[in-house]
Each structure stands twice: as C-alpha cells, then as structure tokens.
Amino acid sequence: MNEIRPIQWDDGILKLIDQTRLPAEQVIVEINDYRGAVAAIRDMQVRGAPAIGVTAAYAVVMAATELDVEDRQTFMSELREAGSEINAARPTAVNLQWAVRRMLEVAEGQQEFAGVKQALLAEARLVQEEDEEINRRMGSNGQDLMPDGGAVLTHCNTGALATSAFGTALGVIRAGWESGRRFKVFNTETRPFLQGARLTSWEFQQLGIPATLIVDSAAGIMMQRGQITCVITGADRIAANGDTANKIGTYSLAVLARENGIPFYVAAPTSTVDLSLASGDEIEIEERSGLEVTHFQGTPTAPVGVEAVNPAFDVTPQKYISAIITESAVARPPYLESLKLAVESA
C-alpha cells in the first residue's frame, strides 16, 4: 500500500499536502508561523478532525517559538491567547480544542521554564505518532464489520488525508480489504467542497482499492436496489449519548440506511468523543461561506446574486447509528454507557 502522510514537521517548518489542490496537483505548503497554520485549517488546506488536531498541536509549538519573553507568566498568558486564536479556526471538530488544551497543559506543567518549548515539540510529535497508532487500532477493531461480498458506502474523506496516517472510516475499509475481505466500495462526491470526489477517490487509487464515485443524491436509489451492504463514516464530534456531528449529508445517509435496513457505522478516535455534551443539540455547527455553494474553484455555478446557505456539518441522532468504532472498543447502544467505557479504556 502507498502510505500517505499529509502532515510533516521539518526543522521548524510544518509541511502540509494542500488538499484544496488535489487531485489535479500534489502541492506541499510550508508553514512557519502559527497564524499560517490557523489559515490552513480555516481554508481547508488541511481538514479532517484528527488532522486538524495534529496541525493545531504544531501550531501551538510555533506560537511558543514566536514568543520572545523571559517571564513565565507573560509567556503563558500570550500562549493561551494564541491557543484561543487556534481554537477559533473551525468550531465543530472537537479534536482542535482537545489538542490545544493538551498542549497548554504540557506547557503549564513543565517544571523548568527553559524546557517548555522543547517539551511542546515532543508532545506535538507524540500527538502525531499516537494518531497513526490509534487509527490502525481502530481499523483492526472495525475490520470484521466490513462485509465479505456486498458493498460499502462511505461519505466525505476519512482516510490518511484526514488524519496523520491510515485514516478512520476509510482506515476501517482498508483494514477490512487487507484482511482478505472483498467487497465493492462506493464513495459520495460530498458537495459542496467535493472531498469525496477529489480526495477519497484519489486515496483509494493510491491504495489500490477499487472504488466507484456516486453523486450524493444517488445513495437512496442504490440502497433501495440492494446495492449497499453497510455505510461507514467518520465524525468530527460525538456527544455523550452517541449523537454524532459529521460532514453535511451524513444525517441523510443514516436515515436512508435505517429505512432500508442497512447498518450505519461511525469510526472515530475517543478524542472525538465529547462527554461534556449531553446530546448533539449542544454541538456548534460551522456555517461556511455561501460562495462554496455558488462557485467551484472561483467559477460561478449559480446565477449571480443567488443566496446560499452552507452548513458544513449535520448531526446524526444516535438512534440511527449501529455502532461507533474507536481505538479501544466498538461501542454499541446504549452509548451513554459504552462511549464512557471506551473513553476510559483508551
């Protein structure tokens, strides 16, 4: 398999595969300050909850490096301000806040002030290494849910590009394929940013896994015709009760899967589980520019002046989710119990 590693740290430079340029061009963007990392997250040069978390960790490292103060109290105050700015890049993916919080805790807990910056870099590297390990364990835990025969449908992009390596939902598909199971794979185009068409299709090609692209609205008829055996997606935030925020269109797929008697699975690390939220009603949904709907790569696709709304995510109620695959366990209903146990076991 061709391993894809979209995030690399090279002597103070954060190197990212620019996901806005794929599949036409494979371009590496080099970032040397934390505001550049914030812009890369906001502008979706890097995307996917785990990848955003890893990038945020390195952004804190760069913020600390940029601070030229010798007083610990002033340093921590300014680092927390930078952390708040990093947190604000995108609101829905909990991994962003999780990574920034983890990094700030390392800085605050460092006994020797002179070693804070080195400790932060070591922690960011650990976040990245752990992410790949977590994804591989998730794949191992979920591979037996993949059919031997039949077909799997996935949405948006949940592969290596959305993480530091291997992937979440796409990683489970990969693990199932590598275990010897053979099934068809379908992936949606994922309007309006076309993460499925541009990124997931590209990743499946790199991995040598045959996959067929469909328009988002074709999922219903394919399920109705018996052409889909199960659906698996990722997640950007999971509430304590199992309600799951993911790329817009996920809720529709879950409802269609239930109507057609098809299992609907979610694959996400335990860092995506937010036990502080009782339900999905408390998850903030990012609203992006309507230009992403009315234009594609700068070219108008709708009449000039037309209004468009562009929620980036929706929330799938837990009643539609057959299982949530994490690195520690496959959680099943009731999720209030199983998710808490999965988080505690991670």
Side-chain angles (χ1 to χ4, degrees), residues 157-238:
N157 173 258
T158 57
L161 290 172
T163 64
S164 63
F166 200 78
T168 58
L170 196 153
V172 172
I173 294 171
R174 172 180 171 177
W177 188 266
E178 290 179 347
S179 74
R181 293 168 183 259
R182 288 296 174 263
F183 45 82
K184 292 182 180 179
V185 177
F186 294 98
N187 63 281
T188 60
E189 58 177 354
T190 323
R191 284 283 300 155
F193 214 67
L194 299 183
Q195 294 98 320
R198 295 187 301 104
L199 307 179
T200 300
S201 296
W202 181 81
E203 284 206 52
F204 278 131
Q205 285 188 339
Q206 300 301 304
L207 294 171
I209 299 175
T212 301
L213 177 66
I214 65 170
V215 297
D216 294 3
S217 50
I221 191 171
M222 296 191 69
M223 291 185 198
Q224 188 181 54
R225 288 174 172 175
Q227 293 175 285
I228 305 296
T229 309
C230 70
V231 182
I232 184 167
T233 73
D236 286 78
R237 191 181 297 242
I238 302 173

Side-chain angles (χ1 to χ4, degrees), residues 2 40 74 117 176 200 280 315 323 344:
N2 182 14
T74 302
K117 295 178 183 180
T200 300
V315 175
E344 291 173 347

Side-chain angles (χ1 to χ4, degrees), residues 19-20 29 41 48 52 62 107 116 136 190 192 211 220 232 248 257 267 311 336:
Q19 297 185 35
T20 66
V29 59
I41 294 170
I52 288 172
M62 289 187 285
V116 169
R136 291 182 181 276
T190 323
I232 184 167
I248 191 73
L336 278 172

Side-chain angles (χ1 to χ4, degrees), residues 34 38 56 59-60 63-64 67 76-89 96-97 99-101 103-104:
Y34 85 91
V38 169
V60 175
L67 292 177
M76 284 308 307
S77 175
E78 293 186 12
L79 188 63
R80 281 190 288 267
E81 286 183 15
S84 297
E85 190 174 344
I86 297 165
N87 271 338
L96 175 58
Q97 291 82 21
V100 171
R101 183 172 62 251
M103 297 295 288
L104 291 177

Side-chain angles (χ1 to χ4, degrees), residues 25-40:
E25 300 176 282
Q26 189 170 333
V27 175
I28 303 297
V29 59
E30 296 188 357
I31 297 169
N32 57 16
D33 64 83
Y34 85 91
R35 287 193 172 91
V38 169

Side-chain angles (χ1 to χ4, degrees), residues 187-313:
N187 63 281
T188 60
E189 58 177 354
T190 323
R191 284 283 300 155
F193 214 67
L194 299 183
Q195 294 98 320
R198 295 187 301 104
L199 307 179
T200 300
S201 296
W202 181 81
E203 284 206 52
F204 278 131
Q205 285 188 339
Q206 300 301 304
L207 294 171
I209 299 175
T212 301
L213 177 66
I214 65 170
V215 297
D216 294 3
S217 50
I221 191 171
M222 296 191 69
M223 291 185 198
Q224 188 181 54
R225 288 174 172 175
Q227 293 175 285
I228 305 296
T229 309
C230 70
V231 182
I232 184 167
T233 73
D236 286 78
R237 191 181 297 242
I238 302 173
N241 72 339
D243 292 351
T244 297
N246 192 52
K247 184 54 56 184
I248 191 73
T250 303
Y251 169 55
S252 302
L253 292 177
V255 174
L256 285 166
R258 170 62 64 86
E259 177 66 23
N260 288 277
I262 297 168
F264 181 91
Y265 303 122
V266 170
T270 51
S271 58
T272 300
V273 179
D274 190 346
L275 295 178
S276 72
L277 302 183
S279 75
D281 293 338
E282 300 177 46
I283 298 175
E284 181 181 359
I285 299 299
E286 177 185 1
E287 297 281 346
R288 295 184 63 82
S289 169
L291 291 175
E292 291 180 356
V293 179
T294 61
H295 292 66
F296 181 69
Q297 295 183 340
T299 301
T301 57
V304 175
V306 71
E307 292 188 14
V309 294
N310 187 19
F313 304 91

